[in-house]
Amino acid sequence: MVTLMDYPVPLRPLSAAGELKMPFSDTVKYCILGISVTLLLLALGILAWQAFRCCTQTHTTYTRQDTVNRDQLYSDEKLTATGKYSGAPSTKVEDVSTEVHRLSRCLSQASLPSSGSSQAEGDFGQQANIKKVDGSLRFSVYYDQLQSRLVVTVLQVEGLLEPSETCSLQPFVKLRLMWAGSVGVGVEVESCKDKEGEEMSPVLWTVLQEWRTRVVKGSCNPLFGDQFSCILQQDKDELHHINLRMEVRDFDKFSRHTVLGEVRVPLGQLNISYPLELQEDLQIPQKDLVGEVLLSLKFLPTSQRLEVGLLKVRTVLTEIYSDAALYARISVQCNQCRLRYQKTSVVARCLVTVFNEVLMFSLPEFPLEQCKIMVSVYETRITRKSTKHLMGQLTLGKEKSSEDKHWNLMMRSVRQPIAKWHGLLI
């Protein structure tokens, strides 16, 4: 009997190259491998750059924070002069620090304006402690007698100082053509003096025209070349009643433009029958009296309320428009807390516009260490849609160290309305 034995048949291993064989040539494989390595190196480089940038920005934040603290303690005047930044900083960290710096400076001011009127109230709360103004303004003035047209050309501003290394100036020029009207009789303002030192009665001015040049970015000696013209209804002999007021300002994106200086030109003292080019040094900006406001104040200590009554507004009328109207906006700031502003109704404008409206404000804290009342008077048109025009503003109230005369009279006569005339300035 034959026994059949089964022997295992040796298995032949499959070719590994046959299983992993790809339908690409070696050239394509090496290209894909090279691209993958390149992307990996690029990702590692970006990661290293972001880590380095993060460390650098953290160090810059601490450095700028220490600098701001030192400036707030020892250089308050320097911060006031260089605080309103308008240029774009180089990094986001510097931009945030600049913004915090600006907001902290605004909150520390006693006359902090409300957010609804940043441009108008920002102009009214300009730097009151300016001691020195640098720079000069070059311009030309010409009066065409045949057409009764006044032509003003703003040429150049020279000698402005750069506020700091982190921001640059963005200067522009705002022009106002002012006409001297009647003399204010009911308002108490600072006494004016002539060249001989004698006191003069305050004169009510009115704005005939307003212009504004373009903004020149990043220049301490900006060239403008902007020309403005208007037809004057007055005769040439009445030009001595007209002044040209030009303010050089630093543009701010939040409409809180910084006044760098101003130039005032009395047209009646110049021979402008032919184009006359002048260059005047910038002077400390001043306000002009453009009207009178009869305001009443009443304090109710039990309910902790303040009643502000707008009774009358007296202005100078140069041109009578049948659809011209006035309204006022009143805002109150109490102990560094801004209350919501309130508006009066729109009343047709005349020589003495009568409102007789009382607005009530609830004061949040007691005692009152600081309280500011700001009244802004605007002109608008009734029959057609037009933008509002700021006529002027006034401010009064109580400071920590001093009180306004009207406020003092109100506190002496609690629960009784006290009326008093105030000057409307612009």
Side-chain angles (χ1 to χ4, degrees):
M1 184 175 182
V2 179
T3 303
L4 298 176
M5 299 180 64
D6 297 333
Y7 294 96
V9 180
L11 298 177
R12 183 175 297 176
L14 297 176
S15 175
E19 290 182 356
L20 300 178
K21 187 175 182 180
M22 299 178 63
F24 299 108
S25 62
D26 294 339
T27 304
V28 176
K29 295 177 185 178
Y30 289 128
C31 290
I32 295 176
L33 180 60
I35 294 174
S36 302
V37 174
T38 303
L39 294 177
L40 178 61
L41 295 177
L42 181 61
L44 293 176
I46 294 176
L47 180 61
W49 167 250
Q50 291 295 334
F52 174 76
R53 186 179 179 185
C54 181
C55 296
T56 304
Q57 288 182 351
T58 303
H59 177 71
T60 304
T61 302
Y62 291 137
T63 303
R64 288 187 60 83
Q65 185 176 2
D66 295 339
T67 303
V68 170
N69 293 334
R70 290 196 301 267
D71 290 344
Q72 290 178 349
L73 291 175
Y74 306 108
S75 303
D76 190 34
E77 291 184 359
K78 183 177 180 180
L79 293 181
T80 304
T82 64
K84 297 185 177 181
Y85 298 116
S86 57
S90 58
T91 62
K92 292 184 178 180
V93 175
E94 292 182 358
D95 193 15
V96 172
S97 302
T98 302
E99 193 65 23
V100 172
H101 186 133
R102 188 190 65 81
L103 294 177
S104 63
R105 187 187 66 259
C106 292
L107 289 176
S108 63
Q109 293 179 354
S111 59
L112 179 66
S114 61
S115 59
S117 59
S118 59
Q119 181 175 2
E121 297 181 4
D123 293 345
F124 185 74
Q126 289 298 338
Q127 305 166 345
N129 298 324
I130 298 178
K131 298 181 180 180
K132 183 179 179 181
V133 178
D134 297 302
S136 61
L137 176 63
R138 188 162 57 91
F139 59 96
S140 67
V141 185
Y142 169 62
Y143 180 70
D144 189 353
Q145 301 182 12
L146 297 179
Q147 301 181 358
S148 298
R149 180 180 295 274
L150 178 68
V151 181
V152 181
T153 306
V154 180
L155 300 176
Q156 185 180 11
V157 177
E158 300 178 356
L160 297 179
L161 293 181
E162 194 76 14
S164 65
E165 297 179 357
T166 58
C167 65
S168 59
L169 286 176
Q170 300 186 47
F172 70 95
V173 182
K174 185 172 184 178
L175 300 90
R176 286 192 179 101
L177 202 61
M178 312 289 294
W179 183 76
S182 59
V183 178
V185 294
V187 62
E188 292 186 6
V189 295
E190 297 180 358
S191 59
C192 303
K193 294 184 179 181
D194 55 8
K195 296 181 179 179
E196 298 179 357
E198 298 180 357
E199 293 188 358
M200 301 174 57
S201 300
V203 178
L204 291 181
W205 295 84
T206 185
V207 181
L208 298 179
Q209 293 287 339
E210 282 189 1
W211 301 296
R212 172 176 161 174
T213 65
R214 58 189 177 89
V215 179
V216 179
K217 297 183 179 181
S219 176
C220 295
N221 301 287
L223 290 171
F224 292 99
D226 297 349
Q227 188 176 87
F228 309 95
S229 64
C230 68
I231 297 178
L232 298 179
Q233 301 296 333
Q234 291 80 7
D235 298 334
K236 184 178 182 300
D237 297 335
E238 297 185 3
L239 286 178
H240 63 276
H241 292 285
I242 299 178
N243 282 6
L244 179 61
R245 173 180 167 185
M246 295 174 286
E247 295 179 346
V248 180
R249 301 189 175 190
D250 184 17
F251 178 80
D252 180 74
K253 60 182 178 181
F254 297 100
S255 298
R256 301 181 186 273
H257 310 307
T258 305
V259 180
L260 304 178
E262 71 172 12
V263 171
R264 294 174 181 261
V265 181
L267 299 183
Q269 300 179 5
L270 302 176
N271 183 12
I272 55 176
S273 57
Y274 59 92
L276 179 62
E277 182 174 333
L278 300 172
Q279 183 167 358
E280 299 289 339
D281 294 334
L282 297 181
Q283 305 296 328
I284 299 176
Q286 303 292 335
K287 297 294 182 180
D288 291 321
L289 182 66
V290 294
E292 302 171 351
V293 176
L294 182 59
L295 206 66
S296 69
L297 299 179
K298 179 180 178 181
F299 179 61
L300 304 175
T302 304
S303 58
Q304 195 65 16
R305 292 184 178 180
L306 177 65
E307 293 184 359
V308 182
L310 183 63
L311 305 181
K312 299 179 181 180
V313 176
R314 177 175 179 262
T315 56
V316 180
L317 290 177
T318 55
E319 296 181 4
I320 300 177
Y321 297 98
S322 59
D323 59 344
L326 297 180
Y327 75 92
R329 180 166 63 181
I330 302 176
S331 60
V332 176
Q333 176 190 343
C334 179
N335 293 346
Q336 301 296 334
C337 179
R338 292 176 295 174
L339 306 181
R340 182 177 179 83
Y341 67 86
Q342 300 184 35
K343 293 182 180 181
T344 64
S345 58
V346 180
V347 181
R349 182 184 179 184
C350 54
L351 185 60
V352 179
T353 307
V354 180
F355 287 89
N356 287 334
E357 295 189 24
V358 178
L359 304 179
M360 186 172 296
F361 297 88
S362 297
L363 303 181
E365 298 179 5
F366 192 84
L368 298 178
E369 296 182 355
Q370 180 266 342
C371 188
K372 283 288 185 179
I373 304 173
M374 180 173 289
V375 181
S376 305
V377 180
Y378 295 89
E379 182 184 20
T380 185
R381 298 295 178 87
I382 300 177
T383 58
R384 62 181 181 178
K385 185 177 180 181
S386 61
T387 58
K388 61 183 179 181
H389 171 70
L390 179 65
M391 295 290 298
Q393 292 179 321
L394 67 93
T395 180
L396 60 97
K398 170 184 172 61
E399 297 286 351
K400 292 183 180 180
S401 59
S402 62
E403 294 183 2
D404 188 86
K405 185 177 181 180
H406 194 181
W407 182 273
N408 194 8
L409 293 175
M410 177 195 69
M411 298 304 294
R412 292 180 181 179
S413 304
V414 180
R415 298 182 179 89
Q416 296 294 330
I418 303 298
K420 186 176 176 60
W421 286 95
H422 293 272
L424 196 64
L425 305 176
I426 192 171

